[in-house]
């Protein structure tokens, strides 16, 4: 084995979304607009909820947490992508790659848990309105938020540990536009099967479990709302449920596509486009009451 293959890589090189200069400029403008809207929108939500005492309710408490996770998720990825659109050599250090994965996984996994918690909150509000204040107390809400962040931190720590215990030697060109586990595993210098299975198992916990809770919650909500006499009440509930489910479909759908499908040694353009949906355009907040 040559000396090059025995040396651990110090940085990774991204191929990016496109090599065409005009396309990169268009992508830069697109990502910049989406990112600015995401930052301003989420900051506005956080500030308004903090300042307006009428919004100090469980629903808006979870929404504030969701906005913060969305802000962290986008900021961990998009600013570097914007810089790479303007330079020819798109690189990231080994430690920078690790940090990007840790933060994006922490925010993304926490967002999964928070979406499930918000569906439960909405279920209690619709199906058990007389007991809502006694069930969703301030202490319960705080515990649910802490557990959401703790689950995100646990999955992030475990997935990152599994990934970076592998050797990365010689090959350092990643056919992607940011550090993501499936893309990074493709350049590992050892067999990745056990790591992929470990990541798959963690994905089942953080993706399928919340989806199941969300589906059960909304099944009960729909069963409760349909017999309602008030058409305005049904419309209000279905409007909120619809906006939440749109986020669920895009966010969890892209996550399952990236982390729960069989991994191959090549990253195709379709995979990168799916990631764009998750990292750049999945910034619709679920509650629009």
């Amino acid at each position: 084995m040559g000396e090059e293959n025995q040396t651990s890589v110090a940085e990774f090189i991204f191929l990016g979304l496109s090599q065409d200069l005009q396309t990169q400029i268009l992508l830069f403008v697109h990502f910049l607009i989406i990112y600015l809207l995401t930052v301003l929108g989420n900051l506005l939500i956080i500030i308004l909820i903090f300042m307006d005492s009428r919004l100090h309710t469980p629903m808006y408490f979870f929404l504030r947490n969701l906005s913060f996770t969305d802000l962290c998720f986008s900021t961990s990825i998009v600013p570097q992508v914007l810089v790479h659109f303007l330079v020819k050599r798109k690189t990231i250090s080994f430690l920078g790659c690790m940090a990007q994965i840790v933060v994006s996984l922490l925010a993304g996994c926490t967002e999964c848990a928070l979406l499930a918690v918000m569906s439960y909150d909405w279920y209690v509000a619709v199906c058990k309105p007389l007991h809502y204040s006694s069930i969703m107390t301030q202490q319960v809400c705080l515990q649910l938020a802490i557990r959401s962040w703790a689950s995100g931190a646990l999955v992030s720590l475990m997935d990152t540990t599994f990934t970076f215990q592998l050797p990365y030697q010689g090959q350092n060109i990643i056919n992607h536009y940011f550090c993501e586990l499936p893309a990074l595993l493709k350049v590992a210098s050892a067999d990745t099967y056990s790591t992929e299975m470990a990541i798959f198992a963690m994905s089942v916990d953080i993706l399928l479990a919340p989806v199941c809770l969300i589906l059960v919650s909304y099944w009960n909500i729909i069963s409760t709302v349909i017999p309602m006499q008030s058409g305005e009440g049904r419309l209000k509930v279905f409007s909120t449920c619809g906006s939440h489910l749109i986020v669920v479909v895009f966010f969890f759908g892209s996550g399952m596509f990236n982390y729960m499908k069989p991994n191959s040694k090549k990253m195709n353009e379709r995979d990168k486009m799916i990631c764009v949906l998750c990292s750049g355009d999945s910034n619709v907040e679920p509650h629009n009451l």
Side-chain angles (χ1 to χ4, degrees):
M1 185 177 293
E3 183 179 352
E4 179 185 6
N5 292 332
Q6 296 175 358
T7 305
S8 297
V9 300
E11 66 177 13
F12 295 103
I13 301 173
F14 298 120
L15 294 183
L17 289 170
S18 174
Q19 301 299 319
D20 180 70
L21 180 59
Q22 291 185 339
T23 302
Q24 290 191 72
I25 294 175
L26 291 175
L27 288 171
F28 174 84
V29 174
H30 170 75
F31 271 74
L32 180 61
I33 293 174
I34 293 295
Y35 179 64
L36 291 177
L37 291 176
T38 298
V39 171
L40 293 176
N42 284 313
L43 285 178
L44 182 62
I45 289 173
I46 294 171
I47 293 171
L48 286 177
I49 293 175
F50 179 78
M51 295 182 63
D52 193 340
S53 59
R54 294 172 299 176
L55 301 180
H56 293 176
T57 63
M59 181 182 74
Y60 289 102
F61 170 73
F62 295 128
L63 180 58
R64 184 171 61 181
N65 277 268
L66 188 69
S67 294
F68 183 69
T69 61
D70 190 52
L71 193 61
C72 293
F73 184 81
S74 299
T75 302
S76 69
I77 297 172
V78 180
Q80 184 189 58
V81 174
L82 291 174
V83 172
H84 284 171
F85 283 138
L86 303 177
V87 298
K88 186 174 182 180
R89 194 168 186 267
K90 304 168 176 54
T91 63
I92 186 172
S93 67
F94 187 88
L95 291 178
C97 182
M98 182 184 297
Q100 187 175 70
I101 287 178
V102 169
V103 176
S104 61
L105 278 179
L106 170 62
C109 294
T110 301
E111 191 161 348
C112 290
L114 285 172
L115 287 171
V117 168
M118 293 177 78
S119 70
Y120 173 74
D121 171 67
W122 189 236
Y123 155 75
V124 176
V126 174
C127 301
K128 300 181 179 181
L130 299 179
H131 303 284
Y132 181 79
S133 59
S134 61
I135 295 175
M136 301 301 295
T137 63
Q138 185 176 4
Q139 183 179 3
V140 169
C141 292
L142 184 60
Q143 289 177 350
L144 289 172
I146 291 174
R147 290 178 181 178
S148 296
W149 281 98
S151 64
L154 177 63
V155 174
S156 175
L157 178 62
M158 294 188 68
D159 282 356
T160 304
T161 301
F162 290 139
T163 302
F164 284 94
Q165 70 179 359
L166 295 170
Y168 295 89
Q169 301 168 337
Q171 173 65 16
N172 68 335
I173 298 177
I174 301 177
N175 185 18
H176 207 22
Y177 63 100
F178 71 98
C179 276
E180 191 182 34
L181 294 185
L184 189 61
L185 289 176
K186 298 180 193 305
V187 299
S189 304
D191 181 62
T192 61
Y193 178 79
S194 59
T195 300
E196 290 173 26
M197 290 300 100
I199 292 174
F200 178 84
M202 298 302 296
S203 299
V204 170
D205 290 336
I206 201 65
L207 290 173
L208 286 186
V211 165
C212 291
L213 179 59
I214 290 170
L215 292 178
V216 170
S217 297
Y218 279 101
W219 174 261
N220 284 282
I221 290 173
I222 293 172
S223 300
T224 302
V225 168
I226 288 179
M228 279 185 176
Q229 298 296 325
S230 171
E232 183 180 351
R234 284 199 302 268
L235 180 62
K236 182 179 180 180
V237 173
F238 284 132
S239 173
T240 303
C241 291
S243 61
H244 191 185
L245 288 175
I246 289 174
V247 176
V248 168
V249 169
F250 276 95
F251 191 79
F252 284 95
S254 58
M256 290 179 182
F257 179 86
N258 288 331
Y259 290 93
M260 298 188 69
K261 69 180 181 67
N263 200 9
S264 64
K265 274 302 183 183
K266 292 184 178 180
M267 191 83 174
N268 56 46
E269 297 305 311
R270 182 187 62 179
D271 294 339
K272 289 194 282 188
M273 290 302 105
I274 293 294
C275 292
V276 170
L277 290 175
C278 190
S279 63
D281 295 339
S282 60
N283 299 305
V284 181
E285 296 299 347
H287 284 286
N288 60 355
L289 292 178

